[in-house]
Amino acid sequence: MKGIAAGIGVVVLSPLLLAGTAMMMASSSEAATTASFSGCLTGLDTAEVTKEVTKILDGASGKDIHIQGLDLPAEQIPNAQTIVATGLSLDVPKKGQIVAIATAMQESRLRNLNSGDRDSLGLFQQRPSQGWGTAQQIRDPVYASEQFYKHLLKVDGWQQMKVTQAAQAVQASGYPDAYAQWEDLATALQKAIAKTFPNAGKDEPAKDPESASGAGMCTPDKDGTSFGRIPEGSVPKGYKIPKDADPKARAAIEWAMHQLGTLYQWGGSCTDSHGPDPMGRCDCSSLMQQAYAHADVKLTRTTYTQVNEGKSVSAKSLKPGDLIFSRGTAARPEHVGMYMGEGLVIEAPRTSKPVRITPIKDWDILAARRVL
């Protein structure tokens, strides 16, 4: 990667590249706000994105360029290229480049803005008053990218975080989950742009262990908030297991619901949660194991092993019965619950708390598995 950095440093600082970014101060496009897009970008065709990105980098006007999520590709793609090139010059791993692009998409829509909230400026909406540099420096996309990366690399454990968590650790935004909606687009852009730099990925692992879980941070359309406050141990008024749920998932959910209100017991077997012996009660993983046992599906006993059961699915496309994991890391999560549909999850949360149903918006999803 050091050899790449030496070559890319020229690209990063080239007048041609900066002409496409640093001098592109937002004009009428600045009227668009970060609230103009909402929702996850899914199903992106990376090959198609690569083709469209290449057209721009080869000098196309952008008039006939169509990439979902980009409304000003002639301006946005060169800015994304600067972010990737700067990351490569600093030996920032691929995931860090994706974090940076997703952050810039959320903060500025990949535009080098002249203004923003209070004194925020540039691609990442960095603030001179907060020590990010002078206004002139921040408007330089290379400088702004370097500063973002330097802050990111100082975050302890950032490579084990989800993209939106890593972005938030740097940005301290009032909307910490908003970066998640750009992860798929950022991933496609990074991959497309990196291909234009010889040997840019030679030092990357063959498979990114964090992305291997397939669980992005965009959650299903329904987040459970429509049910209002859910008293612990109760079924939200109006909830019904979705009609299209797999019969075995339905059986598992129904059995788990019969354990509502019983107290959590770490290490408990969940074989007699209503009985007098505390060790017959449920902890998070035994609730999953026994619920599926009653649907004739065999699961292993612990959260650490259940995260490898079945197949990985995206948190954007959960189905009733899917297991979702939080706390810890994607490779070694410390908590598991079962998605019930309608934006709800059933779980045995922790000591002194009962088995309960919670909205999925309260879950920080690290991984999701479909065991049917």
Side-chain angles (χ1 to χ4, degrees):
M1 186 64 80
K2 294 294 184 184
I4 295 173
I8 291 177
V10 177
V11 177
V12 172
L13 298 175
S14 69
L16 179 61
L17 184 57
L18 291 180
T21 52
M23 300 305 294
M24 279 190 175
M25 299 299 144
S27 53
S28 60
S29 65
E30 240 178 279
T33 69
T34 56
S36 63
F37 178 88
S38 178
C40 294
L41 290 171
T42 60
L44 288 173
D45 184 338
T46 300
E48 184 63 26
V49 171
T50 299
K51 184 175 75 174
E52 298 294 281
V53 165
T54 301
K55 289 179 184 178
I56 288 289
L57 298 182
D58 285 346
S61 67
K63 181 180 179 181
D64 297 319
I65 302 299
H66 303 288
I67 298 176
Q68 186 182 5
L70 300 184
D71 52 359
L72 296 168
E75 177 179 358
Q76 293 163 309
I77 290 173
N79 283 331
Q81 185 189 41
T82 299
I83 292 171
V84 171
T86 305
L88 290 170
S89 72
L90 295 174
D91 286 347
V92 176
K94 177 179 70 176
K95 181 173 180 178
Q97 298 166 37
I98 292 170
V99 172
I101 295 172
T103 300
M105 275 301 304
Q106 174 59 25
E107 298 292 354
S108 69
R109 293 299 184 269
L110 274 172
R111 295 167 298 149
N112 196 16
L113 300 180
N114 273 323
S115 61
D117 179 48
R118 287 167 286 191
D119 59 336
S120 299
L121 298 166
L123 289 176
F124 299 92
Q125 290 292 278
Q126 294 156 339
R127 299 177 59 191
S129 64
Q130 300 300 309
W132 287 92
T134 66
Q136 182 176 5
Q137 287 174 321
I138 292 171
R139 288 194 189 100
D140 176 349
V142 174
Y143 174 89
S145 299
E146 288 176 341
Q147 289 301 305
F148 179 85
Y149 286 129
K150 287 177 181 178
H151 282 74
L152 175 65
L153 295 176
K154 291 179 181 178
V155 175
D156 186 36
W158 71 269
Q159 292 198 63
Q160 284 69 54
M161 295 178 181
K162 287 167 286 186
V163 167
T164 195
Q165 291 174 316
Q168 175 64 5
V170 176
Q171 298 295 105
S173 168
Y175 303 93
D177 297 326
Y179 305 102
Q181 64 187 320
W182 304 110
E183 182 173 349
D184 284 0
L185 176 60
T187 301
L189 287 175
Q190 190 280 335
K191 185 174 182 178
I193 292 168
K195 286 183 177 180
T196 67
F197 297 111
N199 301 317
K202 71 175 185 179
D203 293 333
E204 292 287 344
K207 189 174 184 180
D208 183 345
E210 288 302 305
S211 63
S213 70
M217 273 300 297
C218 290
T219 51
D221 291 339
K222 295 182 179 179
D223 62 5
T225 55
S226 63
F227 292 101
R229 180 181 174 277
I230 305 172
E232 288 191 335
S234 68
V235 178
K237 184 178 180 181
Y239 170 77
K240 292 182 179 180
I241 300 174
K243 292 181 179 179
D244 60 352
D246 183 284
K248 291 189 175 182
R250 177 180 295 275
I253 293 170
E254 288 176 346
W255 189 89
M257 289 171 65
H258 283 295
Q259 317 316 311
L260 286 169
T262 62
L263 285 178
Y264 174 98
Q265 175 63 51
W266 186 84
S269 66
C270 203
T271 53
D272 187 14
S273 65
H274 294 276
D277 183 359
M279 296 310 295
R281 298 173 189 164
C282 309
D283 65 12
C284 65
S285 55
S286 65
L287 177 63
M288 303 299 105
Q289 183 189 47
Q290 291 302 314
Y292 265 111
H294 285 77
D296 296 321
V297 177
K298 185 177 180 180
L299 298 183
T300 51
R301 172 64 182 84
T302 70
T303 304
Y304 304 137
T305 54
Q306 288 176 1
V307 74
N308 297 311
E309 299 274 6
K311 65 179 181 180
S312 174
V313 293
S314 170
K316 306 162 194 171
S317 55
L318 293 176
K319 292 183 178 180
D322 288 346
L323 305 185
I324 61 173
F325 299 82
S326 66
R327 307 175 195 165
T329 67
R332 193 172 174 81
E334 298 173 359
H335 188 54
V336 61
M338 183 185 296
Y339 185 62
M340 304 172 63
E342 302 299 319
L344 299 176
V345 182
I346 190 165
E347 62 169 344
R350 61 181 183 275
T351 301
S352 80
K353 292 290 185 178
V355 174
R356 65 186 183 184
I357 293 172
T358 55
I360 200 168
K361 73 175 184 62
D362 293 343
W363 280 70
D364 196 9
I365 302 173
L366 295 172
R369 307 292 295 189
R370 185 161 296 152
V371 298
L372 297 175

